[in-house]
Amino acid sequence: MTSAPRWLAPAILCAGVTLTPAPTAFAATWTDFLFGSKSSSGDKPAASAERRTWRIGEFTAIQRAEREAGSVGNQHPAAIAPETLRQLLAPVRLVVGSGTQPLFSPDELSDLIEPLAEALSVATPGDDLLLLSTHRRGGGVLLAPLGLTARLFVQDNALHLIVHEARRDFDNAYIGSRIPPTFTFGSRAKAGLVTLQDPGATVRRADWLAIPVNRVAAPAPAPQPVVLPAPAPGVPPKAQAAPPPAPVAAPAARPAPASADEIEQRLLTLKRLRDRGLISEEEYQQKRREILQAL
């Protein structure tokens, strides 16, 4: 039997957490965002146009929210296939120090594209989509998951992506204090804390990209076989030219070395695991040597 997709699984509701209204037009506590208030309609069946929230993980969800005041109507509902969304969002990069890194990891996009496509397909012109995505993004189990908050909508045949935060470390603080964090999502009116890059998108602001939906090229038609005419009787066929040599594949590029900030974060997380007794001193020293070798 095939299991249900991860994004259809209900999130785990922590007992004893009071649900509170959003502090501003573009901020909300994670309890509201992931679990809804008492007046919220919650999750509806997949085909329902009344559905407002798609819970993907404990700290990952998509929510339809009222469009920001003063903004023009969105081009919703929008029919964008999940794989098209993957191709639109995969090239987006986040500026980190003097370099860049993908805004979303491949595994993260695999979790997001289906619920995002469904949310766009039932959104109205008066809806924006709020995204909270929490993921380790290739950092391994030693790194704490980091939060990303964004606002998405379709206008002028472009997918607009406004990111407020991209690498927020809130998980350990919440585990230690049990105080629900407050998340702020991207806004048309106020710049976020990140700088994005995408050569195929229009940069509306450092934190705001307009990605043309039609930039995803349609698949090229399959090549048709060439049929040569048969030689006339008594005439020998022409010698066929030898096929060109197969191209030599370029050697795979070596992965970029980890940045100093990433190594520092890994070392801090490793020390925290040892201090909590989750790994032995021998395991700590071995992993510490492996991390330092990346310098």
Side-chain angles (χ1 to χ4, degrees), residues 93-123:
R93 299 188 70 83
L94 172 70
V95 176
V96 180
S98 59
T100 65
Q101 58 184 235
L103 180 65
F104 300 99
S105 72
D107 290 346
E108 184 179 13
L109 277 180
S110 295
D111 290 340
L112 295 176
I113 54 175
E114 289 190 30
L116 180 56
E118 184 182 305
L120 287 170
S121 72
V122 298

Side-chain angles (χ1 to χ4, degrees), residues 36-279:
S37 64
K38 293 181 180 179
S39 60
S40 171
S41 60
D43 284 342
K44 295 288 184 180
S48 174
E50 299 179 12
R51 185 170 186 178
R52 307 293 301 180
T53 303
W54 286 258
R55 299 176 180 121
I56 304 165
E58 188 177 2
F59 290 99
T60 300
I62 296 168
Q63 185 180 57
R64 286 168 58 190
E66 184 177 352
R67 191 182 74 239
E68 290 181 290
S71 59
V72 300
N74 293 323
Q75 196 176 341
H76 297 163
I80 306 178
E83 287 305 317
T84 299
L85 286 171
R86 185 196 301 275
Q87 295 178 58
L88 293 176
L89 295 173
V92 179
R93 299 188 70 83
L94 172 70
V95 176
V96 180
S98 59
T100 65
Q101 58 184 235
L103 180 65
F104 300 99
S105 72
D107 290 346
E108 184 179 13
L109 277 180
S110 295
D111 290 340
L112 295 176
I113 54 175
E114 289 190 30
L116 180 56
E118 184 182 305
L120 287 170
S121 72
V122 298
T124 70
D127 289 333
D128 289 341
L129 298 184
L130 302 183
L131 168 66
L132 169 61
S133 181
T134 304
H135 202 276
R136 288 187 171 86
R137 300 182 180 88
V141 296
L142 294 180
L143 284 182
L146 303 177
L148 179 153
T149 57
R151 181 182 300 268
L152 299 99
F153 52 91
V154 176
Q155 276 185 6
D156 300 324
N157 296 315
L159 177 66
H160 289 249
L161 172 68
I162 310 177
V163 178
H164 181 74
E165 294 179 288
R167 298 294 185 263
R168 179 174 172 184
D169 186 359
F170 68 90
D171 188 62
N172 288 326
Y174 171 69
I175 292 174
S177 68
R178 309 308 293 179
I179 298 175
T182 296
F183 296 106
T184 301
F185 300 89
S187 171
R188 298 169 179 83
K190 183 177 180 181
L193 307 177
V194 304
T195 298
L196 305 177
Q197 290 183 355
D198 184 342
T202 300
V203 179
R204 299 286 298 269
R205 204 170 57 204
D207 62 321
W208 181 353
L209 299 179
I211 309 169
V213 175
N214 60 4
R215 82 170 179 183
V216 179
Q224 299 297 319
V226 178
V227 180
L228 299 176
V235 178
K238 295 181 178 179
Q240 296 184 357
V248 179
R254 298 182 61 184
S259 67
D261 290 341
E262 292 174 334
I263 292 178
E264 180 182 4
Q265 180 63 43
R266 293 183 186 180
L267 291 172
L268 290 174
T269 303
L270 184 64
K271 182 177 183 298
R272 184 164 54 248
L273 292 175
R274 184 196 63 178
D275 294 344
R276 294 180 180 177
L278 299 177
I279 60 174

